[in-house]
Amino acid sequence: MKYLMINDISYLIKKRKKILLALFLVPLILLLINIAAKITFVNRVNLCMGTNWIGFNQSSILQFIMLLFNLSIYIFLIVDIYVKDIAYQLDNIFLRIKPSKWLLKKSIVFINITFILKLTQYVILFLAVVLLGKSANFNSALRLLFSDFIYIIFIQFLFIIIYVISACTSKMKFIPYFVFAFLMAIIPKNIYGLSNNQILGMILINIIFLFLLTIIFKLFNKKIIENV
C-alpha cells in the first residue's frame, strides 16, 4: 500500500500538477475577489467551494459553477488514478497482487489522497481569511471539510461503479452513464446543509460501494481490464 500511495502522489504531482494548481488556486482567487464582501466565514467558504448550492437563482450561479468545478476535477482524478495503473503498469502490479486486492488497496489509498487534497483546499482558504484580517471559525471549517470530503468520496465511488459496470457491459455501454446523470440530478447538492444522518448514510453507502467494487472487480477483472 505504501508503494501505491507514493506512486499515485508522485504521478499526480508530475503529470497532473496543473489540475492540482487549479484545484487550489481557483477557490483562493475567488476568495480574494470577494474578500471585501460583508459575509460570514462559512458563506465565504461556501462561495469558493460551491458547498451551499440549493437551487438556481442569480446569486447561486457562481456556487453552482464551483460545485461542478470541484466535482469534475475529483471525478477525473479518481478515474485517472485507477486507469493509469491498468493502462501502464498492468504487468508490474498484477504479477504481485490479486486484482481484487489491488482494487481494495487502491481505493483506500485514493480515499487518503482525496482527504489530503480537500484538507489542503480548506487550509489555504482558512489561512487566507486569517491573514487578510477577516473572521474565521475553525469549528465551522472543520465540519464543512468533513461533510465535503464524505460527499466527494460518495460521488467518486458512485461514478467509479458506473464506470466499471460500463466496462463490463458489451452492449448499451452508455446506459450506466445516463443512470449516473439521473442520480446526480436527484442527489442533494447543499453540502453545507447535510444533516448528521445524511452524512452517516453516505459513510455507510461508501463502505457498501467499496465492497461492491471489490466484488465486481474480482468477478470481472479480465473484462474490465480489456475495456479500460
Side-chain angles (χ1 to χ4, degrees), residues 66-79:
M66 290 308 298
L67 176 65
L68 288 181
F69 171 78
N70 275 283
L71 289 177
S72 298
I73 285 184
Y74 278 102
I75 288 174
F76 169 79
L77 289 178
I78 193 171
V79 173

Side-chain angles (χ1 to χ4, degrees), residues 12 36 39 56 81 86 108 123 133 160 167 181 183 187 189 193 226:
L12 289 176
I39 54 178
F56 284 109
I81 285 295
I86 296 175
I108 294 173
V123 167
I160 279 295
L183 292 174
I187 291 172
K189 297 169 185 65
E226 289 173 358

Side-chain angles (χ1 to χ4, degrees), residues 3-192:
Y3 167 79
L4 289 175
M5 186 80 173
I6 294 173
N7 183 265
D8 287 347
I9 292 176
S10 175
Y11 171 80
L12 289 176
I13 292 174
K14 290 179 180 179
K15 301 295 185 179
R16 302 299 181 219
K17 55 181 175 290
K18 291 182 180 179
I19 293 177
L20 296 182
L21 285 174
L23 191 66
F24 301 143
L25 291 180
V26 171
L28 178 61
I29 292 171
L30 194 56
L31 173 71
L32 296 176
I33 291 174
N34 293 276
I35 196 64
K38 295 181 179 180
I39 54 178
T40 65
F41 170 74
V42 170
N43 285 337
R44 290 185 193 281
V45 177
N46 283 332
L47 178 64
C48 297
M49 301 296 290
T51 47
N52 192 33
W53 188 77
I54 56 178
F56 284 109
N57 57 61
Q58 187 174 4
S59 62
S60 74
I61 294 176
L62 186 57
Q63 285 200 42
F64 181 69
I65 292 173
M66 290 308 298
L67 176 65
L68 288 181
F69 171 78
N70 275 283
L71 289 177
S72 298
I73 285 184
Y74 278 102
I75 288 174
F76 169 79
L77 289 178
I78 193 171
V79 173
D80 190 38
I81 285 295
Y82 280 102
V83 170
K84 63 99 174 172
D85 279 2
I86 296 175
Y88 304 111
Q89 303 183 49
L90 187 62
D91 294 337
N92 185 37
I93 292 175
F94 292 153
L95 286 176
R96 297 180 298 167
I97 188 172
K98 293 181 179 180
S100 58
K101 193 173 182 180
W102 166 82
L103 181 73
L104 180 60
K105 288 186 175 182
K106 190 76 171 179
S107 298
I108 294 173
V109 165
F110 195 81
I111 289 172
N112 290 327
I113 291 176
T114 298
F115 180 75
I116 292 171
L117 294 178
K118 270 295 168 191
L119 178 62
T120 303
Q121 283 185 293
Y122 278 83
V123 167
I124 289 173
L125 292 178
F126 186 86
L127 290 178
V129 170
V130 171
L131 292 174
L132 291 169
K134 301 296 181 178
S135 61
N137 189 309
F138 179 78
N139 290 334
S140 296
L142 193 61
R143 187 190 185 285
L144 188 52
L145 164 63
F146 182 72
S147 299
D148 198 1
F149 166 66
I150 297 300
Y151 185 89
I152 287 293
I153 291 294
F154 172 76
I155 298 300
Q156 285 177 318
F157 276 137
L158 175 62
F159 186 85
I160 279 295
I161 284 181
I162 296 295
Y163 184 84
V164 167
I165 291 174
S166 177
C168 293
T169 307
S170 55
K171 297 181 179 179
M172 298 181 291
K173 297 177 68 70
F174 292 101
I175 288 182
Y177 294 105
F178 286 113
V179 173
F180 177 77
F182 171 76
L183 292 174
M184 284 302 301
I186 63 176
I187 291 172
K189 297 169 185 65
N190 181 9
I191 299 171
Y192 175 67

